[in-house]
Amino acid sequence: MADIRLEGVGHSYDGGTTWALKPMTWTWRTSRAYALLGPSGCGKTTLLNIISGLITPTVGRIFFDDRDVTDVPTAGRNIAQVFQFPVLYEEMSVYDNLAFPLRNRKYPKNEIDQRVRQVSQLLGLDHLLRRRSRRLDPGRQQIVSLGRGLVRSQVAAVLLDEPLTVVDPALKWTLRSKLKEIHRDTGHTLIYVTHDQTEALTFADEVVVLNDGAIMQAGEPAELFLSPSHEFVGHFIGSPGMNMVPGEIVGDVVRVGQAAVGSVANDLPPGPVRIGVRPEFVQITHASPGVAAQVTGIDRMGAYDLVHTRVGEHPVIARTEAGSGYQPDVEAFLRFPPDRTFLFRDQVRCGFLAPLDGRSAT
Ligand SMILES: Nc1ncnc2c1ncn2[C@@H]1O[C@H](COP(=O)(O)OP(=O)(O)OP(=O)(O)O)[C@@H](O)[C@H]1O
């Protein structure tokens, strides 16, 4: 196991006209479980393939601890990779498929048997060990592929590229917790690619959010939710995502239209700003003070309500207790709590909202 360090690593498939992965410097620390999260086409698979050696980056160097592996082929990197679809020897039994990566590396026979049985038991494959892989449904085949990726105890990292896509939804939860269990057991460095935030947030110690070939933010799930440093992270994490409301800094006061919503916690020049606040933290009331809003609709979610409003032309959602009593077309007032409201310029967080310190809120 090793720290995997990318130094100025970037990749272009078209000779430098566009970057599938913009040059980045980043370290994957040993023994951590990472989720690499981002929308389709943002560069996740490219990044994974650079780590495993399937792609040589256009620029930059990659190190496993202090060893420069940029020009080392996949076979010399000691990486296990699990793809979105099963990669198995179809004529081999499940047992032999699981044993293959160990036999290939000349593990002792008793250790092979022990590891295969351990992984098979964890993944619920015991009753299928003698079955030919061809005779399994695609979901089971994928679980065997997962097992092949996890069977070696000593690997630099296990890379998983949307490994549960073909698996039955009911099994996904179980498998994800099995993966966590295996991670706790082996201390593998895991990098788990997904475009599904729930999958990422429930699986990882650290989530790395990628968009348009660049890392937007990396952190623990709660950090990404509570303290997004980029508008993209605000939108992409959370359901629904963060509200963004245009405002203005005048002196040290932040205004939305005529309403003062707070003061500026840090030193920021006056001018336009975007105010980001999650639906969970927007406070909605029937009476001022606050930013005047028009209620446009209610989603009754059972455990809570989502009250949709408009501030001028801009939609703002407030999450309230179930049965909040708001109705479409009524006027409401919104308040943005200072410790949960952020200011953005050029999509990047530039500051925080602070209390008004006794000054009038409207
Ligand atoms: N072999 C290739 N040749 C040319 N362009 C490619 C190739 N592979 C990927 N790309 C482009 O590089 C960009 C990043 O693709 P990549 O597959 O790494 O993204 P991704 O985040 O893994 O997407 P998905 O979630 O859809 O798999 C995309 O614009 C894609 O079209």
Side-chain angles (χ1 to χ4, degrees):
M1 278 167 274
D3 278 355
I4 298 174
R5 191 155 48 90
L6 311 176
E7 286 203 355
V9 164
H11 193 68
S12 169
Y13 289 100
D14 54 14
T17 312
T18 56
W19 291 98
L21 204 66
K22 293 174 184 152
M24 63 171 67
T25 294
W26 172 255
T27 301
W28 308 91
R29 285 189 286 128
T30 190
S31 297
R32 276 179 85 72
Y34 290 93
L36 179 57
L37 173 69
S40 185
C42 71
K44 303 182 295 294
T45 301
T46 304
L47 181 49
L48 225 53
N49 288 343
I50 287 173
I51 296 170
S52 67
L54 291 173
I55 292 178
T56 305
T58 314
V59 294
R61 310 300 299 173
I62 170 161
F63 296 85
F64 288 4
D65 285 334
D66 291 329
R67 177 178 170 228
D68 185 338
V69 298
T70 316
D71 302 311
V72 175
T74 306
R77 293 200 187 184
N78 196 22
I79 289 270
Q81 195 161 4
V82 180
F83 299 92
Q84 201 168 0
F85 299 103
V87 180
L88 292 176
Y89 295 103
E90 293 207 332
E91 294 307 320
M92 278 187 192
S93 67
V94 168
Y95 186 101
D96 288 342
N97 263 296
L98 291 175
F100 189 87
L102 304 174
R103 287 184 180 141
N104 214 16
R105 284 170 184 78
K106 311 266 184 287
Y107 276 59
K109 222 173 175 174
N110 58 342
E111 194 178 337
I112 294 177
D113 192 59
Q114 191 196 351
R115 283 295 300 158
V116 167
R117 291 189 186 281
Q118 220 171 357
V119 167
S120 130
Q121 200 245 330
L122 274 166
L123 296 179
L125 294 170
D126 281 353
H127 61 298
L128 299 170
L129 281 176
R130 296 281 145 223
R131 186 91 53 93
R132 251 175 229 237
S133 303
R134 174 166 57 84
R135 294 187 50 227
L136 303 178
D137 63 65
R140 293 276 170 210
Q141 288 181 344
Q142 182 63 3
I143 296 169
V144 179
S145 294
L146 197 60
R148 276 173 56 125
L150 297 166
V151 76
R152 283 156 60 200
S153 49
Q154 295 296 322
V155 284
V158 182
L159 312 182
L160 305 132
D161 196 350
E162 310 234 14
L164 304 182
T165 307
V166 294
V167 174
D168 186 64
L171 252 183
K172 276 188 186 179
W173 281 99
T174 321
L175 282 172
R176 261 205 310 276
S177 51
K178 293 284 179 198
L179 256 176
K180 284 185 99 154
E181 210 175 303
I182 293 172
H183 175 250
R184 270 196 301 272
D185 241 33
T186 60
H188 285 141
T189 307
L190 294 187
I191 306 178
Y192 184 109
V193 162
T194 178
H195 61 261
D196 178 334
Q197 58 160 311
T198 311
E199 209 159 279
L201 298 176
T202 53
F203 168 79
D205 301 327
E206 189 168 348
V207 180
V208 178
V209 182
L210 197 69
N211 187 40
D212 201 14
I215 294 176
M216 299 283 106
Q217 187 175 358
E220 290 178 10
E223 188 185 341
L224 297 183
F225 182 79
L226 293 174
S227 187
S229 61
H230 193 282
E231 285 191 23
F232 177 82
V233 177
H235 287 302
F236 200 69
I237 305 255
S239 183
M242 185 174 243
N243 297 297
M244 296 302 308
V245 188
E248 179 94 17
I249 298 177
V250 181
D252 69 343
V253 173
V254 182
R255 295 188 166 277
V256 173
Q258 293 308 308
V261 294
S263 65
V264 190
N266 44 329
D267 206 10
L268 278 179
V273 72
R274 281 163 65 80
I275 300 162
V277 55
R278 292 202 176 276
E280 288 80 355
F281 305 124
V282 173
Q283 294 161 0
I284 182 166
T285 60
H286 292 283
S288 65
V291 177
Q294 190 78 14
V295 176
T296 55
I298 322 282
D299 290 331
R300 304 206 186 277
M301 309 299 287
Y304 57 90
D305 288 354
L306 292 175
V307 183
H308 294 255
T309 72
R310 273 190 181 281
V311 173
E313 289 306 302
H314 301 282
V316 178
I317 302 174
R319 177 171 158 159
T320 67
E321 284 178 10
S324 60
Y326 284 93
Q327 298 296 334
D329 299 324
V330 302
E331 192 179 35
F333 293 87
L334 308 178
R335 287 177 221 156
F336 305 146
D339 51 340
R340 295 283 182 235
T341 306
F342 304 100
L343 306 175
F344 295 84
R345 277 184 172 154
D346 294 328
Q347 303 201 23
V348 176
R349 191 177 70 208
C350 59
F352 304 80
L353 205 65
L356 276 168
D357 291 334
R359 281 169 284 183
S360 168
T362 52

